[in-house]
Every structure is written in structure tokens, then in C-alpha cells.
Amino acid sequence: MFRACIRPDLDLRILEERHAETVFALIQQDRAYLRQWLPWVDATETPADTLAFIRSALEKFAASSAVTAGIWHRDEFAGVVGTHEILRLTRRVELGYWIGESFQGRGLVTDACRAMITHLFEDRDLNRVEIHCSVSNLKSAAVARRLGFELEGTLRDSTLAGNRLHDAYVFGMLKKDWHA
Ligand SMILES: CC(C)(COP(=O)(O)OP(=O)(O)OC[C@H]1O[C@@H](n2cnc3c(N)ncnc32)[C@H](O)[C@@H]1OP(=O)(O)O)[C@@H](O)C(=O)NCCC(=O)NCCS
């Protein structure tokens, strides 16, 4: 199993097909909270949908076109951190994340993102990482700010959340600023 220990109570593991039921169970349990911000939640109706997501993520991992990892808190599945499609020509990528409602407030996402971003800059030779979030998603914007990302602008009606379009903040981090 691929596993990176980030801190004593947090590790990142590549999502495998055998995790589909566990991942789906958390989505099912926290559906109302997650669907406020994540447009794919309503389309995730059965464990088979989560299995399809994991298979697609594994294919992209093998092709080096995206990286997705599960967030585990004390050996319990807590959420996901992962990239969208890596844009090779411009060496940039957008990062996404979610965590179960009861796992919030422990810095798990911030630390998971920090490890993932270091991997993207150091091992994957990327130059720019973006975080996009609804301007109303204060907790997500706080993750970007806590990581030192710069707020670069607002995209109007750019993100779908809770069945309506929201303006989105674009936060950016460049490799040269990451370790500063
Ligand atoms: C957005 C989301 C991931 C933020 O989760 P979070 O738990 O607030 O983020 P972190 O895990 O980084 O935890 C930060 C919190 O833990 C606290 N914390 C405790 N220990 C910490 C540590 N070692 N390091 C950093 N923060 C720590 C911080 O003070 C902060 O608390 P606060 O919100 O009261 O200020 C979560 O709300 C979520 O999944 N929402 C639904 C899906 C979503 O919106 N995804 C993003 C779409 S753009």
C-alpha cells in the first residue's frame, strides 16, 4: 500500500478499489454537508459511483496526469485531497479537497494539502498550484490562506455549489514562493 505519514494522527494513502465502500459510506453519512459545496455529491448515489471515481483516479495516477489520495485520521478514513488534470505545458494544476464533518477543525486538510503541494512542486516539477472555491466557502478559503496562497481574483458564476452558480475565488501558489 502507498502510504505517507504526515503527522502521528494523519496519513495519506492512495485510494484503491477496496476503499470504495468506506469512502462512499462517509459521503452518504455527510451528504447534506458536502453537497453545499461539492457538485459531484448528488451524482454519487451508490458505492459503484465511488468505485468508478477511484478507478479513474488510479488511471490518472498511473498516467501522471493527476494525483488523488485519501486522508486517514488515526486509521479512520476522513476525506480526500487531490488534483484536477495536470496541465503539463504550463506546469500548473488545481487542487481540491473535502473532509467529513466530524473531522473538521484539526488541521488535517491544511497538513494534507501541504504535503501534496510539496510533492507537486518537488517530485512532479510543477510551477503553479491553484485553489478555487466559492466566495461563500469561508472554511475552504481559510485553508488556502493558511497555506500562504495569494488571492489572485474572483471568477464570476464559476463554481456550482448547492445547485446554484457561485462566484469563485482563485488562490495561487508558485513554486518559488512555496518554501519562502
Ligand atoms: C473546506 C474544508 C476542507 C475545511 O476543513 P477544516 O477542518 O476547516 O480545515 P483543516 O482540516 O485544515 O482545519 C483547520 C481548522 O483546524 C484548526 N487547527 C487545529 N489544529 C491545526 C493544525 N495543526 N494546523 C492547522 N489548523 C489547525 C484551525 O484553527 C482551523 O479551525 P477553525 O476553522 O476553527 O479556524 C471542510 O470544511 C470541507 O470539507 N467542507 C466541505 C467540502 C468543501 O467545501 N471542499 C472544498 C471545496 S473548494
Side-chain angles (χ1 to χ4, degrees), residues 7-41:
R7 61 185 213 202
D9 64 342
L10 163 63
D11 51 45
L12 295 183
R13 303 177 195 174
I14 289 296
L15 287 175
E16 300 172 37
E17 292 185 359
R18 66 196 171 88
H19 296 132
E21 295 274 353
T22 305
V23 175
F24 179 76
L26 187 57
I27 296 167
Q28 184 72 347
Q29 177 191 298
D30 285 352
R31 189 170 285 280
Y33 141 83
L34 293 171
R35 71 179 298 282
Q36 295 178 86
W37 306 116
L38 302 171
W40 48 263
V41 171

Side-chain angles (χ1 to χ4, degrees), residues 6-115:
I6 309 302
R7 61 185 213 202
D9 64 342
L10 163 63
D11 51 45
L12 295 183
R13 303 177 195 174
I14 289 296
L15 287 175
E16 300 172 37
E17 292 185 359
R18 66 196 171 88
H19 296 132
E21 295 274 353
T22 305
V23 175
F24 179 76
L26 187 57
I27 296 167
Q28 184 72 347
Q29 177 191 298
D30 285 352
R31 189 170 285 280
Y33 141 83
L34 293 171
R35 71 179 298 282
Q36 295 178 86
W37 306 116
L38 302 171
W40 48 263
V41 171
D42 287 350
T44 306
E45 293 175 332
T46 67
D49 296 320
T50 303
L51 181 60
F53 163 75
I54 291 174
R55 284 187 176 145
S56 160
L58 285 169
E59 279 167 18
K60 290 175 184 168
F61 183 74
S64 296
S65 63
V67 192
T68 301
I71 301 171
W72 260 262
H73 175 60
R74 300 189 199 285
D75 272 342
E76 196 178 351
F77 174 73
V80 173
V81 57
T83 71
H84 293 224
E85 203 80 13
I86 291 173
L87 301 169
R88 270 283 144 219
L89 214 54
T90 46
R91 294 164 55 219
R92 77 182 160 93
V93 77
E94 184 185 334
L95 190 65
Y97 39 76
W98 65 268
I99 198 156
E101 193 166 13
S102 66
F103 295 100
Q104 291 181 110
R106 297 177 165 99
L108 297 172
V109 176
T110 300
D111 283 345
C113 286
R114 190 177 286 113

